[in-house]
Amino acid sequence: MIIVIGAGVAGLAAARALVRSGEEVRVLEARDRIGGRILTERSESLRVPIELGAEFVHGEAREVAEVAREAGLLLCDVRGDRWRVEGKRLTDVDDFWGDVETVLGKLRSDREPDRSFQDFLETGPGGPKLARARAIAREYVAGFHAADPALISERALADGGAPEGPAEERTARVLDGYDTVPGWLARELDGSIETGVVVRAVRWRRGSVAVDAIEGASGARRRYEGRALVVTVPLGVLIAAGGDGAIAFEPEPRGHLAAARKLAMGDARRVVLAFDEPVWEQVPKSRLPEDAAISMMSFLHGDDPSFPVWWTMMPVRAPLLVGWAGGVRATSMVGVPPSEVIGRAVSALSRSLGIAKRRLAGAVTEAWTYDWGNDPFARGAYSYSMVGGSGAAKTLARAVEDTLFFAGEACDGRGRNGTVHGAIASGIRAAKQVVRPRRASRRR
């Protein structure tokens, strides 16, 4: 039997591929649901799903697109205008990706010694002419990568830190809700998934593993044995020193855990606000260029200390706004009560749009947020490479004596960390690694 820890998309993709290869599989999931860091809610008053985890399909994302084709899911490309808050004015962002790529294009993947993105910015690349582009790039790295600019690696950013060309800049949503993706992956795993099972320890030797766990509801002890183990827990859980969700390995795969500690688990916080009408269309005209309209807004960028980025559901027209904070801004909100976080978001939106906070608060009909940093089975949003860690993901992706295998977005060595398609690809890769030795022995 092959044991898989984690029923996020990496674990489900690995398990599905293993089942298709004729292997017996057992998937152990600590939560009482599948999907991992995909968390979709639905409201009776809205026709659009509420995404509290993964939301976007980035670039071609072939692995997600393949699931969508199989399942008949609808993907909708994001369209609309990007705006930026400049003081008390809103300006149309003509070429957001161009600004980002102009700055990140000056990074070096062969930088020796490696340095942080913040250290890179402090050299003033591009001089005064690129001051605005550097500010946009810094917000992009902090937000999109959920990273602390003072920690994230220049070399890692240079190698896949920004989309390359229009195909990779493309962004879409799963109109049916992102939870339909893990739901489809799990269709062939009937009876193979156990939820509410918290793994505590892994004891292994070449060709044999024993997994000790407890049932989250009853506390009853469970043991599972197999010939191989695929570990797909988030990076924050993998490197945890103790507490709920932490896993002890005996013996410890030291090289892999050392590599994992060269990565960081970034924090991200989102607040989803539903309104009785599209409040952003009420921006005072004094804040907009002459004869400009904001009704087609998709993204609003700024430097607000709480929530600097907002987006609508464009091209779907729904009275919904999503506030986003990544990196150190989000870290400061770990453990903060949801009502306070939502209040901060409303205040940030008021500052960005120039609309009175009381007026905005009165127009809110529903609000959602989720604290991934305070979730013991996530311990953050998604991973990034710290200085000196640009090769760590590739190390994590290597098999350990053909017995331990690691998967998940943090284990993707092709610059797709933090993405659903990167996680799915890593699970498929791990499954191939599991079956390869057995197939080789049969050929002999």
Side-chain angles (χ1 to χ4, degrees):
M1 183 169 71
I2 313 301
I3 303 169
V4 178
I5 303 177
V9 291
L12 295 172
R16 185 174 78 157
L18 288 166
V19 166
R20 288 180 172 183
S21 297
E23 300 284 354
E24 181 185 357
V25 176
R26 181 69 58 192
V27 181
L28 308 179
E29 169 56 47
R31 297 185 178 91
D32 60 1
R33 62 174 180 83
I34 65 171
R37 284 166 282 168
I38 291 176
L39 178 58
T40 307
E41 300 285 351
R42 289 172 174 81
S43 169
E44 294 182 359
S45 62
L46 293 167
R47 298 291 298 277
V48 293
I50 308 302
E51 304 292 0
L52 297 178
E55 177 173 351
F56 295 112
V57 180
H58 298 284
E60 294 183 357
R62 293 176 182 174
E63 293 80 6
V64 175
E66 183 177 340
V67 171
R69 283 192 297 271
E70 291 177 7
L73 305 177
L74 296 175
L75 300 184
C76 179
D77 286 342
V78 173
R79 290 287 186 268
D81 304 323
R82 288 182 183 266
W83 290 81
R84 181 170 176 80
V85 181
E86 301 276 4
K88 293 187 177 182
R89 301 276 295 176
L90 270 60
T91 60
D92 193 357
V93 179
D94 295 325
D95 190 7
F96 174 81
W97 289 117
D99 287 337
V100 171
E101 291 165 11
T102 295
V103 176
L104 268 59
K106 298 181 181 299
L107 298 167
R108 288 175 46 193
S109 60
D110 61 350
R111 171 76 188 179
E112 191 63 45
D114 196 4
R115 62 180 173 180
S116 72
F117 183 60
Q118 182 62 42
D119 287 341
F120 159 79
L121 288 177
E122 288 176 359
T123 67
K129 289 178 61 177
L130 291 186
R132 182 174 181 272
R134 288 196 299 273
I136 290 173
R138 190 183 191 282
E139 289 300 328
Y140 167 79
V141 168
F144 184 85
H145 290 279
D148 182 344
L151 296 179
I152 192 170
S153 159
E154 173 180 343
R155 293 178 62 172
L157 279 175
D159 189 14
E164 296 182 1
E168 288 303 308
E169 293 170 4
R170 185 178 181 183
T171 304
R173 291 187 182 90
V174 184
L175 285 184
D176 308 88
Y178 228 140
D179 61 345
T180 55
V181 171
W184 182 262
L185 291 172
R187 287 178 76 252
E188 298 175 38
L189 303 175
D190 287 347
S192 298
I193 302 173
E194 294 187 30
T195 58
V197 176
V198 183
V199 173
R200 291 289 183 83
V202 171
R203 296 174 176 83
W204 69 280
R205 64 179 186 275
R206 189 179 185 90
S208 177
V209 295
V211 175
D212 292 325
I214 63 167
E215 293 182 0
S218 66
R221 295 182 180 182
R222 303 287 297 274
R223 169 166 280 210
Y224 303 83
E225 297 180 349
R227 72 172 183 86
L229 174 70
V230 181
V231 181
T232 73
V233 297
L235 174 72
V237 175
L238 182 62
I239 63 177
D244 290 345
I247 302 173
F249 289 87
E250 298 179 15
E252 186 177 276
R254 294 181 181 177
H256 283 62
L257 293 186
R261 293 185 179 106
K262 292 181 180 180
L263 306 174
M265 193 66 169
D267 285 311
R269 193 65 181 264
R270 83 174 65 208
V271 169
V272 184
L273 300 177
F275 297 92
D276 53 15
E277 59 182 335
V279 293
W280 57 94
E281 296 182 6
Q282 300 171 10
V283 171
K285 291 184 178 180
S286 61
R287 290 209 164 211
L288 298 172
E290 188 175 354
D291 298 327
I294 202 171
S295 58
M296 300 296 288
M297 181 180 78
S298 57
F299 285 86
L300 176 64
H301 303 270
D303 58 1
D304 189 89
S306 295
F307 287 90
V309 181
W310 292 85
W311 59 78
T312 67
M313 295 295 105
M314 282 292 293
V316 175
R317 298 195 178 191
L320 206 67
L321 278 174
V322 179
W324 178 266
V328 294
R329 287 184 176 92
T331 301
S332 71
M333 287 185 271
V334 172
V336 175
S339 59
E340 183 176 338
V341 173
I342 291 168
R344 292 185 191 183
V346 173
S347 296
L349 184 61
S350 171
R351 290 189 291 268
S352 296
L353 296 180
I355 299 174
K357 179 181 176 180
R358 180 178 296 181
R359 183 177 174 186
L360 285 177
V364 174
T365 57
E366 292 182 88
W368 302 262
T369 189
Y370 189 82
D371 191 349
W372 291 102
N374 205 37
D375 181 332
F377 306 122
R379 302 192 183 214
Y382 43 85
S383 68
Y384 64 89
S385 298
M386 293 190 291
V387 174
S390 58
K394 291 182 179 178
T395 298
L396 275 177
R398 297 172 186 160
V400 183
E401 297 189 28
D402 291 330
T403 304
L404 297 186
F405 306 86
F406 293 86
E409 52 85 14
C411 304
D412 181 85
R414 296 173 55 189
R416 299 175 298 180
N417 58 298
T419 67
V420 173
H421 62 279
I424 293 174
S426 76
I428 295 171
R429 179 264 305 155
K432 290 178 179 178
Q433 291 174 311
V434 171
V435 301
R436 190 176 296 139
R438 178 168 288 189
R439 287 179 175 175
S441 65
R442 286 172 181 168
R443 287 196 294 269
R444 289 196 295 268

